[in-house]
Amino acid sequence: LHLLAPAARHLGYLWDEDLCDFSKVTIGLLRMQKITLRLGSDFQEKRKSALEGMRALFAPVPGSQHTLGVLMVSEFFRREGWQVWMELGSSEEKLLAAVKKDWFQVIGLSIGTEAHVESLTDTIRAIRAASANRDVKVLIGGPFLALSPNLYKEVGADAAAGDAVSAVELAKNLFAL
């Protein structure tokens, strides 16, 4: 599972450099998602007992198609005993309805490109206003962080993680778990 993120970044590089066409990138990403889901069932067998009440929601920035990272980080959190929800491909309205309806300690958003920075700022502001948990921690991750590691400060998030393992450790530290 630790190899999937670098493989996905490499596919992104091949796409950006026009060395790989859309269909090959799509097939590669679908295969990575299938592997992640298959490994997820292995994770369930090794899963730690659920942390009492620790709930997280993960989503790409509304309008983004970056879902592989969301899927991967969700599996890592599940393995550590978190109760996890995902909002893949949701509109901002659906995402806000989810955070208003249910209590989450962590909301993680994935940003893939610079084009979503402005909407990320607006989305985080709206999440904080709508959240059932007024002390919710908003984490960001995704491929764009490689270019802008301190982006979380600019967009109003609490922290940023460059990979799934770091995200879990960051959340544990935020809540002293």
Side-chain angles (χ1 to χ4, degrees), residues 55 95-105 107 126-136:
R55 299 163 51 105
L95 178 60
L96 294 177
V99 302
K100 184 176 185 178
K101 179 181 169 230
D102 292 311
W103 181 278
F104 298 103
Q105 279 79 14
I107 297 172
I127 285 170
R128 291 195 190 282
S131 179
N133 176 2
R134 293 295 170 206
D135 294 321
V136 69

Side-chain angles (χ1 to χ4, degrees), residues 78-119:
R78 279 190 184 103
R79 185 175 186 188
E80 291 299 316
W82 288 70
Q83 297 173 38
V84 176
W85 283 257
M86 291 186 291
E87 287 289 331
L88 301 176
S90 289
S91 65
E92 184 170 313
E93 292 78 25
K94 286 184 180 179
L95 178 60
L96 294 177
V99 302
K100 184 176 185 178
K101 179 181 169 230
D102 292 311
W103 181 278
F104 298 103
Q105 279 79 14
V106 169
I107 297 172
L109 299 170
S110 178
I111 181 165
T113 66
E114 185 176 10
H116 292 111
V117 170
E118 188 175 327
S119 65

Side-chain angles (χ1 to χ4, degrees), residues 44 47 54-59 70-87 104 106 168:
Q44 293 306 319
R47 183 179 178 174
M54 297 309 290
R55 299 163 51 105
L57 178 131
F58 297 101
V70 172
L71 180 63
M72 288 174 55
V73 78
S74 295
E75 291 301 330
F76 274 87
F77 270 76
R78 279 190 184 103
R79 185 175 186 188
E80 291 299 316
W82 288 70
Q83 297 173 38
V84 176
W85 283 257
M86 291 186 291
E87 287 289 331
F104 298 103
V106 169
V168 170

Side-chain angles (χ1 to χ4, degrees), residues 8-20:
R9 281 192 289 276
H10 184 68
L11 263 181
Y13 166 79
L14 294 174
W15 171 258
D16 289 342
E17 296 299 316
D18 205 21
L19 299 171
C20 204

Side-chain angles (χ1 to χ4, degrees), residues 27-66:
I27 289 168
L29 289 173
L30 287 172
R31 286 180 176 164
M32 282 188 248
Q33 286 180 342
K34 187 175 180 180
I35 290 167
T36 302
L37 291 171
R38 188 176 302 146
L39 290 173
S41 63
D42 290 345
F43 270 14
Q44 293 306 319
E45 293 172 13
K46 298 174 184 167
R47 183 179 178 174
K48 296 178 180 175
S49 60
L51 297 169
E52 185 67 33
M54 297 309 290
R55 299 163 51 105
L57 178 131
F58 297 101
V61 175
S64 172
Q65 298 300 312
H66 179 70

